[in-house]
């Protein structure tokens, strides 16, 4: 059995006195798409941000392909913080796509995609541009390389953000509500790119409210509620009726906001 | 007004521009350091920086200029009055520019730095490639504003004996008994200089394209 791409072991996370994650265990198999669902405040974004090491866990261990990220087990129940060079090395295998895109506004689309290739990977500008253009083509934006983020639609900006993450050839891509700040009409183009990536064997962890995407693309569905992992399994199992009452309630709430009333 | 008197006024206007430009640049450099100190978690840096800002913002520039001009000889530093004038203007504008820069740095959305973090940029690279360029763009309108304020405030340095545009107008008024003429010309010259600065500022803003979210 191969090692999972991401292993989360008994992870707790508190902000001040509020415990947001209350002991999460999760294994994400390599090459799979895991969709994390859950109501607002359930801790799903926090969990993803802990896996990206944008938030430091309060306790517990996260491993990327078996290598500890941020904190290593000392063997006696404690943990020790790893040096930042070590953290950067492990983290280089992870790419992240944010809800707010977070493109750098003073750089063009191509500039955003190539920036880290030049400043971090020390590539020549010409080689970086070649990769950048190829990645923009991959997300269907080869004609938008010289546009600034402000000149692009939300869907295009998010696709540039995906190209930026892909340019560094990560093993694992994390998506934090990638379509939540998009007009409903623009979510399709982003979900299509994600669908293609999933089909290409990329390991993805997706926090999203797109239940349809989760059901059709996800290999694994994780349902969080109040900081605990309530359900974990393949969509055929998770969405099969009768559903877990909490999931049923969650789905009704979400369907209620949309077209369900028109049906 | 004779050609020769007009030339004198132009020369004085040039001196006003030079004085202000040098003060703005020095003030920007000092302001950056004070801003960095103020944002530092180290209290040994942030507390003196805060004191500096409140001191130089709280005392009238005219008083600061007179203090510096009279203090330097007491400290045994003999410098031409123009140096004292530039020092006074620079130290004062530095306090305002430090605050403007701090606002700019703190307004850079955190997510943009997280994105930089995720692609492996070191803290230094994040500062030089992402944070500072965006902060600078955010600060630019305030910097132009400050430059215009300093241009006009530079008229105060006449009190320490520096002959610039206002002082020249004063001198020529006194010798010609035509104050209205010379003060009008001086006012018009200030106005034109400020227009140029403001125009240059908006041109720079347009050239440094920023996104709507910056």
């Amino acid at each position: 059995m191969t090692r999972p791409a991401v292993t989360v072991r008994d992870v707790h996370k508190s902000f001040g006195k509020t415990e947001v994650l209350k002991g999460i265990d999760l294994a994400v198999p390599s090459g799979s798409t895991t969709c994390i669902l859950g109501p607002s405040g359930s801790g799903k974004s926090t969990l993803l941000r802990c896996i990206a090491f944008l938030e430091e866990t309060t306790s517990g261990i996260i491993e990327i392909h078996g290598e500890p990220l941020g904190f290593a087990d000392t063997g006696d129940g404690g943990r020790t913080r790893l040096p930042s060079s070590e953290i950067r090395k492990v983290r280089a295998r992870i790419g992240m796509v944010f809800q707010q895109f977070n493109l750098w506004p003073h750089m063009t689309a191509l500039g955003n995609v190539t920036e880290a290739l030049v400043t971090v990977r020390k590539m020549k500008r010409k080689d970086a541009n070649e990769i950048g253009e190829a990645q923009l083509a991959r997300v269907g934006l080869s004609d938008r390389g010289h546009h600034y983020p402000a000149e692009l639609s939300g869907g295009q900006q998010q696709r540039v953000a995906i190209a930026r993450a892909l340019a560094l050839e990560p093993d694992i891509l994390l998506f934090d509500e990638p379509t939540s700040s998009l007009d409903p009409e623009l979510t399709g183009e982003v979900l299509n790119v994600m669908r293609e990536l999933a089909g290409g064997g990329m390991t993805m962890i997706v926090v999203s409210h797109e239940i349809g995407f989760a059901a059709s693309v996800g290999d694994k569905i994780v349902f969080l509620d109040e900081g605990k992992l309530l359900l974990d399994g393949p969509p055929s199992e998770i969405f099969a009726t009768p559903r877990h009452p909490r999931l049923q309630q969650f789905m009704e709430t979400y369907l209620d906001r949309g077209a369900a009333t028109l049906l | 007004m004779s050609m020769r008197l007009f030339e004198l006024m132009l020369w004085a206007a040039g001196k006003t521009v030079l004085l202000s430009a040098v003060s703005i640049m020095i003030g920007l450099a000092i302001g950056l350091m004070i801003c960095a100190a103020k944002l530092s978690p180290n209290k040994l840096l942030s507390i003196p920086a805060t004191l500096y800002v409140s001191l130089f913002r709280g005392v009238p520039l005219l008083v600061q200029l007179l203090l510096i001009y009279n203090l330097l000889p007491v400290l045994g530093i003999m410098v031409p009055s123009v140096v004292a004038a530039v020092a006074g203007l620079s130290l004062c504008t530095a306090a305002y520019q430090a605050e403007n820069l701090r606002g700019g740095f703190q307004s850079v959305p955190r997510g943009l730095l997280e994105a930089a973090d995720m692609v492996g940029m070191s803290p230094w690279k994040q500062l030089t490639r992402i944070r500072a360029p965006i902060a600078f763009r955010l600060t630019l309108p305030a910097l132009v504003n400050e430059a215009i304020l300093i241009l006009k405030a530079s008229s105060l340095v006449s009190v320490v004996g520096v002959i610039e545009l206002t002082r020249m107008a004063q001198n020529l008024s006194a010798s010609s008994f035509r104050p209205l003429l010379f003060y009008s010309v001086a006012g018009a010259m200030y106005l034109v200089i400020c227009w140029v600065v403001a125009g240059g500022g908006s041109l720079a803003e347009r050239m440094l394209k920023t996104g709507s979210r910056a």
Side-chain angles (χ1 to χ4, degrees):
Chain A
M1 169 112 188
T2 51
R3 267 194 182 137
V6 179
T7 313
V8 176
R9 282 207 315 266
D10 195 26
V11 158
H12 290 254
K13 170 70 184 172
S14 301
F15 293 103
K17 282 187 177 154
T18 317
E19 194 173 33
V20 180
L21 298 178
K22 301 169 182 168
I24 302 282
D25 288 279
L26 180 68
V28 174
S30 212
S32 72
T33 297
T34 299
C35 293
I36 305 180
L37 301 175
S40 299
S42 58
K44 53 193 190 310
S45 278
T46 303
L47 174 60
L48 196 76
R49 290 171 59 82
C50 285
I51 295 172
F53 206 64
L54 287 173
E55 302 286 356
E56 294 189 14
T57 53
T58 312
S59 68
I61 296 291
I62 293 174
E63 287 173 354
I64 306 300
H65 289 290
E67 289 186 65
L69 172 64
F71 296 93
D73 221 325
T74 48
D76 54 4
R79 60 176 201 172
T80 171
R81 201 176 202 285
L82 296 166
S84 50
S85 60
E86 193 64 28
I87 294 172
R88 212 168 291 156
K89 205 184 84 197
V90 177
R91 217 185 188 189
R93 309 182 72 164
I94 307 172
M96 176 110 174
V97 175
F98 300 85
Q99 180 179 355
Q100 301 294 338
F101 328 134
N102 293 342
L103 293 179
W104 302 308
H106 58 304
M107 297 179 189
T108 61
L110 187 63
N112 268 276
V113 178
T114 55
E115 176 64 20
L117 293 174
V118 176
T119 60
V120 180
R121 302 275 160 101
K122 308 289 174 206
M123 255 183 209
K124 286 203 184 76
R125 172 53 66 189
K126 186 172 156 284
D127 299 336
N129 281 350
E130 253 172 54
I131 294 177
E133 275 159 16
Q135 293 300 346
L136 284 173
R138 193 167 165 192
V139 297
L141 290 172
S142 32
D143 56 339
R144 290 287 183 275
H146 296 286
H147 287 64
Y148 284 86
E151 300 166 337
L152 300 171
S153 73
Q156 290 172 331
Q157 288 188 54
Q158 192 59 297
R159 285 188 282 152
V160 172
I162 293 173
R164 174 173 68 181
L166 288 175
L168 296 165
E169 300 183 318
D171 297 327
I172 302 158
L173 259 189
L174 309 178
F175 292 85
D176 188 8
E177 306 207 22
T179 57
S180 296
S181 48
L182 295 177
D183 286 342
E185 286 180 2
L186 301 177
T187 57
E189 58 190 79
V190 171
L191 293 177
N192 281 341
V193 169
M194 291 168 63
R195 208 167 270 132
E196 260 169 53
L197 285 172
M202 173 67 77
T203 307
M204 312 204 311
I205 305 179
V206 183
V207 167
S208 174
H209 290 147
E210 303 279 350
I211 297 177
F213 175 85
S216 62
V217 181
D219 300 300
K220 183 181 168 87
I221 304 293
V222 169
F223 186 71
L224 283 188
D225 190 33
E226 294 182 351
K228 287 190 187 132
L229 202 149
L230 210 56
L231 304 168
D232 178 354
S236 55
E237 212 175 89
I238 300 285
F239 292 118
T241 46
R243 297 189 186 106
H244 187 286
R246 194 67 192 87
L247 176 65
Q248 181 64 30
Q249 189 193 351
F250 169 77
M251 287 175 71
E252 278 166 10
T253 315
Y254 273 89
L255 289 173
D256 211 28
R257 294 198 323 188
T261 50
L262 300 174
L263 293 176
Chain B
M1 191 195 300
S2 74
M3 201 57 206
R4 165 148 167 70
L5 291 180
F6 187 71
E7 274 171 15
L8 274 175
M9 289 291 284
L10 266 184
W11 172 86
K15 196 152 170 197
T16 282
V17 170
L18 194 66
L19 265 174
S20 310
V22 171
S23 303
I24 287 285
M25 294 319 286
I26 297 175
L28 183 61
I30 301 174
L32 254 177
M33 288 188 274
I34 293 175
C35 168
K38 225 182 151 178
L39 290 174
S40 160
N42 186 343
K43 286 217 167 18
L44 284 175
L45 293 172
S46 65
I47 291 175
T50 306
L51 276 176
Y52 179 97
V53 170
S54 64
L55 190 69
F56 280 90
R57 285 203 308 190
V59 176
L61 178 55
L62 188 56
V63 177
Q64 286 176 35
L65 285 166
L66 290 168
L67 265 174
I68 290 171
Y69 182 66
N70 289 293
L71 182 70
L72 290 177
V74 175
L75 298 174
I77 304 169
M78 294 303 177
V79 291
S81 54
V82 67
V83 174
V86 168
L89 286 174
S90 306
L91 291 174
C92 176
T93 185
Y96 288 91
Q97 294 196 53
E99 283 302 275
N100 290 341
L101 287 164
R102 188 172 65 90
F105 273 95
Q106 288 182 331
S107 308
V108 175
R110 222 177 76 125
L112 301 185
L113 302 175
E114 289 183 346
D117 209 7
M118 284 312 296
V119 297
M121 279 193 214
S122 63
W124 176 248
K125 277 274 188 286
Q126 289 183 33
L127 177 69
T128 56
R129 297 292 302 169
I130 310 293
R131 216 171 165 201
I134 295 173
F136 179 70
R137 283 162 171 80
L138 292 170
T139 309
L140 192 59
L143 177 64
V144 171
N145 207 23
E146 180 63 18
I148 288 173
L149 286 174
I150 285 297
L151 250 167
K152 293 185 295 180
S154 71
S155 60
L156 295 175
V157 304
S158 55
V159 297
V160 294
V162 176
I163 298 179
E164 39 62 69
L165 186 50
T166 301
R167 186 54 176 263
M168 182 62 86
Q170 224 171 0
N171 289 352
L172 295 179
S173 301
S175 56
S176 68
F177 304 107
R178 298 178 69 188
L180 269 182
L181 173 70
F182 286 103
Y183 288 132
S184 304
V185 171
M189 284 179 168
Y190 276 114
L191 196 59
V192 170
I193 298 167
C194 288
W195 277 341
V196 171
V197 172
S202 18
L203 186 71
E205 270 180 62
R206 271 201 303 279
M207 281 168 63
L208 297 168
K209 267 197 156 156
T210 62
S212 51
R213 292 180 57 235

